[in-house]
Amino acid sequence: MDFKRTDHRIYAENESGKLMAEILFPEDGPNTVCFTHTFVDDSLRGQGVAGQLIETAAQILTAQGKKARATCSYAARWLEDHPELKA
């Protein structure tokens, strides 16, 4: 899946521009972000798209030397398995 990126958002749209997947991670302090929202359209569920979103975000954060916390339940569970990124 081809994701688009902005400073604190990674997302994918279909050909019609409908949002199909998204993760938001705004700044939460010096060198820290907070995963606040993860969304995957029902038509894509079970295909690992949420994992791809958070892995892409993790690569960006690691390259920037940032850590993360989460208010999103999916991201919070993911961070438990990836303590190297956890703030």
Side-chain angles (χ1 to χ4, degrees), residues 17-59:
K18 178 184 174 190
L19 183 65
M20 300 301 289
E22 174 181 58
I23 188 166
L24 303 175
F25 48 100
E27 295 288 334
D28 191 47
N31 297 315
T32 306
V33 302
C34 182
F35 290 116
T36 59
H37 174 72
T38 303
F39 162 77
V40 176
D41 188 80
D42 288 343
S43 66
L44 297 174
R45 297 262 169 104
Q47 298 179 37
V49 175
Q52 292 173 27
L53 284 168
I54 202 164
E55 288 287 342
T56 301
Q59 291 172 2

Side-chain angles (χ1 to χ4, degrees), residues 51-70:
Q52 292 173 27
L53 284 168
I54 202 164
E55 288 287 342
T56 301
Q59 291 172 2
I60 292 167
L61 297 176
T62 299
Q64 295 174 348
K66 294 183 178 181
K67 300 288 184 179
R69 67 179 198 87

